[in-house]
Amino acid sequence: MASGGYHAADPGGGFTDGGAPGDRGDRGNKADKGGLRTALSGLTTRGRSFLAAGIAAAICAYVLGQSDLLRVGLLLATLPLVCAGVLYRTRYRVAGSRRLSPARVPASSEARVHLRIDNISRLPTGLLMLQDRVPYVLGPRPRFVLDRVEASGRREVSYRVRSDLRGRYPLGPLQLRLTDPFGMCELTRSFSAYDTLTVIPRVEALPSVRLAGEAKGYGDGRQRSLALAGDDDVIPRGYRYGDDLRRVHWRSTARYGELMVRREEQPQRARCTVLLDTRDGAFRGAGPDSAFEWAVSGTASALVHMLERGFSVRLLTDTGASVPGEGSDGFAGASQQSADAAGLMMDTLAVVDHSDMVSLSSAYEVLRRGNEGLLIAFFGDLDEEQAAVAAKMRQRSGGAIAFLLDSETWAQGSGAAPAARCAERLRMLQEAGWTAVAVPAGASLVDVWRQADRDRSGAQTAGTSTAGGWS
């Protein structure tokens, strides 16, 4: 649902009868009996108390022969029944709608939910109590009291929701409670529509560093491929506003009957694959401060950063699944396609969970099929075999950066030194050409990102061409 406007309302979803007037018979009798039970079940504690007191007073009046007490008992018993009947027969037509602002929000950030109630009948409503269903992780269930809504009137209320845990959370359905002036009866009706709030991982703004393949992206260092030079082999396209008139191809213009220009230059965007290790055995712990959540947040930050730098980006997991899909080359394209792909990747990361994979082989098979440009990987625990598989991923990429999260270090908390096994895995990756960085517990992604840049620069200064990883 777009966050810019209200979604389709639920006309008549409030307090109206489903049957047509005059449609009686057996079905009408059953509906009346069901409606009577519904009305009686809506009696509040006060209404039930009045009814019980009236029945008890009537029994005592009959036993004692007190006619005045009998009249009091009938009054007490009749009042809640009359309120229930009047309330049930009320023909309010109410439409409800909901708007999320925004519909996709980072973890630990707030979103506002706007509710709107429209009275689409010709009669004013009584007192309405409005309640929206929300998951407990988003906060308490919001409740509002709406005073009399005039005919064709409207009321708008809003509330805020917040979650520290990423995911997709349903909001709704919206419920309305109708009560009588004496508080004897209360009826609840629910709308059928609901919306979904997507809580995506936190995204950190990363500093700009010199990345491998930058000369192939958009910007000052763009690289272009020439079209076929022969006049007979030229590939024309329709004229667009701003095209140089010197590129008009008159032969094609005469053939197609519209202005055509030569497609002489085609910009090529540099590619980047961001790999997220989701193996269940590679991470320990849970919660917003766990190593896995850090890796998911780092993956989201890297994806957004590379898209902003003009790269064609895709998300790859250890299962071999990639976002965007494998429709063409599996990478996000330019302009609007990049924006749509970014949203798709953020939605995927919002619900990504541990996989049952034990190896990185599926991801390696995807990477080995072509030149993937820059590779940025977020790894959990790596044994010797998986470290060897990760090392081979470097062969088909123009540059490779690895952020290694060791569960033993994260279990010890902030300030813990990398374990000996983690240091050995870093050495294996660096020897294979990766720029590999160990991520301590609670580390800032910006800090480790800059550390990776310093490691690359130091390796280049030392004249080591295979250990740099970024270029």
Side-chain angles (χ1 to χ4, degrees):
M1 186 203 72
S3 60
Y6 288 92
H7 89 26
D10 228 350
F15 309 94
T16 58
D17 246 355
D23 184 13
R24 307 303 294 170
D26 294 339
R27 186 174 62 180
N29 294 332
K30 292 180 181 179
D32 288 342
K33 294 178 181 178
L36 180 61
R37 287 193 297 268
T38 301
L40 293 178
S41 65
L43 290 176
T44 62
T45 302
R46 179 185 299 178
R48 296 175 187 273
S49 300
F50 267 68
L51 182 61
I55 294 175
I59 294 175
C60 292
Y62 177 77
V63 173
L64 299 177
Q66 297 290 330
S67 58
D68 293 338
L69 183 60
L70 178 60
R71 285 192 289 270
V72 173
L74 291 177
L75 176 62
L76 294 175
T78 303
L79 182 59
L81 296 179
V82 171
C83 291
V86 171
L87 191 64
Y88 178 74
R89 291 297 179 182
T90 301
R91 290 297 182 267
Y92 294 153
R93 289 183 57 82
V94 180
S97 55
R98 181 188 300 102
R99 176 171 61 91
L100 306 182
S101 179
R104 184 187 291 118
V105 61
S108 302
S109 298
E110 289 185 344
R112 183 169 290 274
V113 183
H114 301 267
L115 303 176
R116 189 176 75 188
I117 299 298
D118 295 275
N119 181 12
I120 58 178
S121 66
R122 298 180 179 179
L123 298 175
T125 69
L127 188 68
L128 299 177
M129 288 187 292
L130 183 64
Q131 176 178 276
D132 204 11
R133 291 185 178 180
V134 300
Y136 72 95
V137 296
L138 297 182
R141 182 171 295 183
R143 294 180 175 89
F144 305 93
V145 177
L146 303 181
D147 202 355
R148 177 179 178 272
V149 182
E150 64 278 3
S152 302
R154 173 188 301 173
R155 295 291 185 272
E156 295 187 14
V157 294
S158 64
Y159 63 94
R160 293 178 295 180
V161 291
R162 178 180 179 274
S163 175
D164 293 330
L165 301 175
R166 55 186 175 81
R168 293 173 62 86
Y169 301 101
L171 301 178
L174 185 63
Q175 292 182 330
L176 284 178
R177 291 184 181 179
L178 183 64
T179 61
D180 65 280
F182 301 101
M184 297 290 180
C185 186
E186 180 180 279
L187 295 182
T188 302
R189 294 291 185 268
S190 295
F191 295 85
S192 59
Y194 69 93
D195 294 281
T196 301
L197 175 68
T198 302
V199 181
I200 62 176
R202 290 187 295 269
V203 176
E204 295 186 47
L206 300 178
S208 297
V209 296
R210 181 69 180 179
L211 302 174
E214 187 176 20
K216 298 180 182 180
Y218 286 126
D220 295 335
R222 66 180 65 176
Q223 181 187 68
R224 300 177 181 270
S225 60
L226 297 178
L228 297 176
D231 187 63
D232 294 334
D233 296 327
V234 69
I235 304 176
R237 63 167 173 83
Y239 174 82
R240 298 171 186 168
Y241 180 78
D243 285 339
D244 190 349
L245 292 179
R246 290 174 297 181
R247 294 174 53 195
V248 174
H249 192 255
W250 298 109
R251 182 179 299 179
S252 298
T253 299
R255 178 184 303 173
Y256 294 105
E258 60 177 322
L259 203 58
M260 307 292 290
V261 297
R262 294 187 299 271
R263 195 182 320 202
E264 295 176 344
E265 295 179 341
Q266 298 177 348
Q268 294 181 341
R269 290 161 59 98
R271 292 180 172 183
C272 174
T273 298
V274 182
L275 172 63
L276 174 62
D277 183 6
T278 64
R279 294 172 299 133
D280 188 29
F283 298 93
R284 302 176 191 173
D289 298 327
S290 64
F292 182 68
E293 292 301 323
W294 192 99
V296 174
S297 178
T299 300
S301 302
L303 288 170
V304 172
H305 178 73
M306 301 310 294
L307 283 172
E308 291 176 349
R309 295 290 297 274
F311 280 68
S312 293
V313 183
R314 75 168 170 182
L315 168 65
L316 180 67
T317 66
D318 58 289
T319 63
S322 63
V323 181
E326 302 290 347
S328 54
D329 55 1
F331 288 84
S335 62
Q336 184 60 37
Q337 187 179 356
S338 291
D340 296 340
L344 181 60
M345 288 186 283
M346 291 298 107
D347 290 344
T348 301
L349 290 176
V351 296
V352 70
D353 202 355
H354 294 290
S355 69
D356 55 0
M357 303 291 290
V358 296
S359 173
L360 298 171
S361 300
S362 298
Y364 170 69
E365 291 299 323
V366 175
L367 293 172
R368 67 187 296 267
R369 288 200 289 263
N371 184 4
E372 305 301 330
L374 179 63
L375 174 62
I376 303 175
F378 293 84
F379 293 120
D381 288 336
L382 296 176
D383 55 24
E384 186 175 357
E385 180 181 356
Q386 300 311 312
V389 175
K392 292 190 295 183
M393 296 178 181
R394 174 66 178 86
Q395 300 173 359
R396 302 294 295 178
S397 37
I401 315 163
F403 299 99
L404 188 60
L405 291 81
D406 181 60
S407 296
E408 183 177 346
T409 304
W410 280 74
Q412 296 174 3
S414 301
R421 186 181 62 176
C422 179
E424 176 62 22
R425 304 298 178 254
L426 287 174
R427 185 189 61 80
M428 292 179 61
L429 294 177
Q430 291 168 354
E431 289 179 351
W434 287 79
T435 298
V437 179
V439 180
S444 168
L445 178 61
V446 174
D447 294 338
V448 296
W449 186 266
R450 286 174 174 158
Q451 180 182 347
D453 182 44
R454 290 193 298 267
D455 291 349
R456 175 197 63 85
S457 300
Q460 288 182 341
T461 303
T464 306
S465 60
T466 60
W470 292 61
S471 59

